[in-house]
Amino acid sequence: MESYTSMETIVYLTEITALISLWYFHRKRGSARTSILLTALGIVLLTDTLLFFDWFPSAEYVVINLGNGFQMILYMFFFLSLMRHGTFIRTMIIYLIGFTIYWMVDSLFFHSIVNEIQYQIYVFGAAGVLIFILAYVHQDLLKSHRAIPVFHRYLLWISGALFFYLAIEIPIFTMINYMMENDVTEMVFPIFQLQSLVAMVYYLTYSTALLWAKTV
């Protein structure tokens, strides 16, 4: 348990550095669009701060579920705001609205936001973010005629890291949900460690990308 706590601490510190790095980039070269991403990352850090210091233990599920739900909505809204062509925009809007309605209905009638972790909401939201990232990358790499090298574009670095993170998080969350429901606990610890390592790679990208990024 001590190593798991140490891993949690390292992840938490990388989240702080990620928020500071994104804030720095936002101040220098950002826009209203990057402020959406900054808000999403702020919600992630706020959620994990409440959990890390155990400030509201009786409301732990509420903190986790609200944090997960709102960060997914903001991630989707962020990538939607980056779209310049109408090919995917309508589909993305429908998915975003559908996810929001699904989350509300599921919380009210099926999976309580108070008494359990809403794994299916996280997976549904993460899958949507992956689709939104692919649409953005398709637009920016295949349809765009920008002369700026890909290596120097900050948001493409972040998009790639987020795609890597969520693509691994979906099966991890699915496995954890299965193990918790079937009381298979011996593999939970190494899976949490893997989850922490993937998270660290994602959050550190916000800092390392500053070394090469010259624009959004």
Side-chain angles (χ1 to χ4, degrees), residues 34-80:
T34 53
S35 67
I36 301 172
L37 183 59
L38 192 63
T39 304
L41 207 55
I43 287 178
V44 172
L45 184 58
L46 174 62
T47 300
D48 286 346
T49 297
L50 296 176
L51 296 173
F52 187 81
F53 293 103
D54 200 24
W55 283 341
F56 299 101
S58 61
E60 184 179 63
Y61 291 137
V62 176
V63 171
I64 294 172
N65 292 327
L66 288 179
N68 287 343
F70 280 117
Q71 71 169 288
M72 292 305 163
I73 289 175
L74 285 169
Y75 278 140
M76 284 188 271
F77 187 62
F78 167 68
F79 286 104
L80 178 61

Side-chain angles (χ1 to χ4, degrees), residues 5 19 22 91 109 153 184 202 205 216:
T5 303
L19 187 63
L22 182 58
T91 302
F109 301 107
R153 286 149 71 175
V184 182
Y202 167 54
T205 303
V216 293

